[in-house]
Amino acid sequence: MADLAVSLAKSVVEGAVTKTLAAIEEEATLRQSTQNDLAFITGEFQMMQSFLNVADEERARNNVVRTWVRQVRDLAYNVEDCIEYVIHLDKASDCHCRCLPGFIRPELPLDKAVAEIKLLKGRVEEVSLRNMRYNLISDSGSKPVTQQQLVPGASVGATTFDMLVKARDTTKMQRGLGDLTKLLITKKPGGDLGVISVWAAGGNADTTPIIREAYGKPEICDSFRCRGWAKLSHPFNPHEFQRSLLIQFHTNSCLQKKSGVDVGTLKRLEVAAEGELIEEFMEQMKERYLIILENVSSMVEWDTVRAYLPEEKNHSWVIISTQQSEVARLCVGDPWQVFELKQSSAEHSVCVFFREGSQGDGDKSKQTTMVMANNNEASSSMGVQNNTDMCIGRFPLVKVRDSQMKDLRGYLARACVNGVPVISVWGIAGVGKSALVRNLYYDIMYDSSNRIFTMYSWVDVSHPFNLRNLAWSLLSQLQSDSPQQNGISNPIQECHELLEKHRCLVIIDGLQSTEEWDLIRHYLVSTHCRSIIVVITTEASIAIHCANREEAMYNVKSLEDDEARDLFKKKVGTFPDSSALRDSKDPELRKLISMCGGLPKVIVAVANFLAPMTVSWMKTAMNLSDRFMHDLETKPEFDNLRGLFGWMHSYFRTCPDYLKPCILYLSIFPQGQSIRRRRLVRRWIAEGYSRDTSNRTVMCQINGFFREYIISRQKDEDLVFELEGRCILTSQRTGRHLVIKDSWDRDKIVFSSIDFSRLRSLTVFGQWKPFFISDTMRVLRVLDLENATGVTYKYLEQMLKLLPRLKLLSLRGIREICHLPSSFAALRQLETLDVRDTSIVTLPPSITKLTKLQYIRAGTAKEPSVACAHLSWLPCCRRACPVGGVQVPAGIEELTSLHTLGAVNVGFSGGNTILKELKKLTQLHKLEVTGVNKKNSKEFCSTISDHVHLESLSVWLCMGNNEPCLNDMFWPLQKHLEKLQSLKLYGLAKVVPPWIKDLPKLTKLHVNMAISKNVNISEVLGEIKGLCILRLDIRPLEDGDGDLNFCVKVNGVEQRSYLNVRILEIACNSELNVSFGSLAMENLELLTAKCCTGSAVKFAELKSLSKGKLKEVWYLGSLDNKVKVDMENQLNQHPKTPALKLEEPCSS
């Protein structure tokens, strides 16, 4: 996208300014001249920031501006790299070398840095002068113009682009109405003069051929006896205008009658006086006429011409040709519609504007207008029924859609019962939310047994938003007669009264802002409204604003892989001779379907494209997979996806500049792979995309379709490049981020041909090779080898010697690594160290010198203990197993920047000393500790009490005799962990520490414990008011079945408890009976049970559990048929009949 280069440049320049300022403040050892150079560079970049802030999308489309912006971005990268090099220098060794005589003293690194800064200063000056030389971007906001007028025409701007997207979207939704000939032969209600504007979007498209084609068609010639074409002159001469049209009227009429042209009449008209011309012109205007006005550039011109066109109510038309979207829109008046007639490129099209309703009543029946009488019989024409069939069959319902239809019915039923006037349905574009609601809409409308609603209306919101137009659209569907014919002058008030007095089902599709809804709610929805309004939107924030309650919001999600393939097969199956494609298990086809991202709109479009190709579908599928996003955006067969791409373009364009690099960064991870939130955020921080350590963004998995879209956007920016499959030798491989896929053939020759001088991150999936590290990777910041194979201590030592500027090092999951090499001490810029699930048990003493460390994750997962045996077959739940913490060296207190540390083993002989040092790390936000026992528990409690910033705490207890521990952690009560949100306690016995209920912000609790029949843990857990996620790993102390009761009673009376718990997960390695009572967990949405072979979780009272919210019950483990039948019976009696999903344990 054109503005992407500007957004990326802004982000990089901001980072360069920050780094340079920090260097000026911190590096007092720099020479004064260098300090001055850095100050100059900072000032110039701050000015460039200001310039970039006014470089809107239209300017960014200028090739000269885009080149300059990229030069600024690359220069900012170089400055930032140089500053980091200066900061990284070992000043002590420099001072030592300076004591040597000049003739034997080597060139010092600081001297090199000073020389490089001098060169950079010169480059910065040149780039700044280049901006002024070509007047590319000015703070006044003027458009860029080169001295030689290098770019003669302005490109399409943001407003024009939005209009173009709307035109394409409307054309897609109401295909056929955008045909110019059909519009012209349509007779309008009342016979008023009709106006059509043909607009050249982008300024370079030619409207004449399209208008000329319609102008000369036989049906047009038959319909209009008087036809004329006028190109406006300046100044406008009305009499010459009339003379020209009269001559054309006569000539065209004779040609239509196939008679000779009367030369005498032509001569008379050529010399006719003004009075004679006016009289004959007015007489001719009584006939139905068609006039083409070419080159209309302003409303003044149109108003002048319009004064000479009498209103005879004879169904005449005027076509205006213009390159101005505002002129095109204003000429036709309100309410208006716009369609795309022809697309010449992504930014240039020919569109047609016309007044809404000018298609005529006959065409209107083909739209989505439904009117239902009180007897529930459809009073619309057969055209509506055909459209209904089309809408219902647009996306064949796969199994998950049946479930979602059922959910939507439940939402609608509860809204009717509880008097909720608004339901919100939201989801990303293309996910099928409108199709899903439309299926439900028609099902209810044509259900003869339905007596809930008496009137129905579906409105697609037009933009720019106009409440009066929306009200007219509603009325045209809620009333069988035309609102204008009924003499309605105030459509808004009429709609308000209808919605208040009648039971109407109204669908408002395409709401784009909360302001639009505020207008609708204020003027149309009363407090006593009897109707139900369903709002469809792409934004969760708009959905919650409209519904004003979470239980009235429904999120339509993309299809899972199996569901996507099911939909593809069903759609392909509607074509003849398509069995080979339908039944194919070809991996390339599966990959192609996966690239659709579970979006029904895209899946159906791809199926429609491939199904007719009974012989060549395999080759076509492979070609489509290779050019997926390009073909979907450019091939006419995928025109129906233009609305989806329009939404995506708009979403990305309006996204804050600082987020765009973060979004593009997601393409590093393979399609379908789950991404740990911490991994992503720490990488963002190391790259400079995020300036703080907060975790506001949670990403689990990148949608396949959006990943392809992201990749296609950043190809010209040299950001991410991948090595996969069999790569050919090329000089084009360069970029900031290199990803080595598991599928790459590890060709050393190809790897050696890559330019690594600008490489900032290296991510390896699969097998590691020694040649993956090069001495040219001098600015590498991120080395992510998580779960890579073949990495040994020898290779690790080699790579750390060559990569001294690393900010993030991840060796997570590499079991071959037992300890960190001595070269590790040279990573003085290191901020993130992740050696979790390696074989490292001791961190080296040299780690205390890495004072910039913020994040340390270490510890090895041990084999599950008896209490955790139920998790041995669940790799995804390894976190619930005891973690073997690492020993940290004395001096850990020096790492004052740490905010995440774990898991630290304090159970060895020097553990108390380490606890005292941990007490001094007051900036910790997340802490993981193992080896807490009776001997060190008091010291541990003292340490924790001082950590006022702690948000997450995980504790592994070592209690061999099952005695309670930590019960007196905050007693007598002195300090609380007031910010603690997540708490994990492993190894508890008999009771839950009572202080847990006093943690004011606790939302997530994971408890692993042995329970006794005589102790009710709900006495504590049930009182945690803000708890949202509760995970329990339970082991009964006594032989026999264990009992877990969530019912909380006071003086024998059951109390409401666990009010905010949304997710409950219970795991056990024995028989466990679980009961809830009738007032516990009324907001629970997901219930999960996990157990191993030979054990079972038996639930009671499921039919009364969370009657309005429970969606799913997951059971992971072997389930006895009797227990299964009992659970199914209980869930079938539940008001929401939640789904029961079973998963057998996989072999270990």
Side-chain angles (χ1 to χ4, degrees), residues 780-800:
L780 194 73
R781 294 181 174 193
V782 174
L783 180 60
D784 191 342
L785 306 181
E786 182 169 324
N787 295 320
T789 60
V791 181
T792 65
Y793 175 82
K794 176 182 176 182
Y795 296 151
L796 180 61
E797 185 176 31
Q798 172 194 359
M799 66 180 77
L800 295 188

Side-chain angles (χ1 to χ4, degrees), residues 230-242 245 281 293-294 300-309:
K231 187 170 184 177
L232 295 187
S233 59
H234 302 280
F236 177 68
N237 187 323
H239 302 298
E240 290 305 316
F241 171 73
Q242 292 173 333
L245 289 179
F281 186 78
L293 297 178
E294 191 178 350
V300 175
E301 293 178 350
W302 165 241
D303 291 339
T304 303
V305 175
R306 181 67 180 84
Y308 290 90
L309 300 177

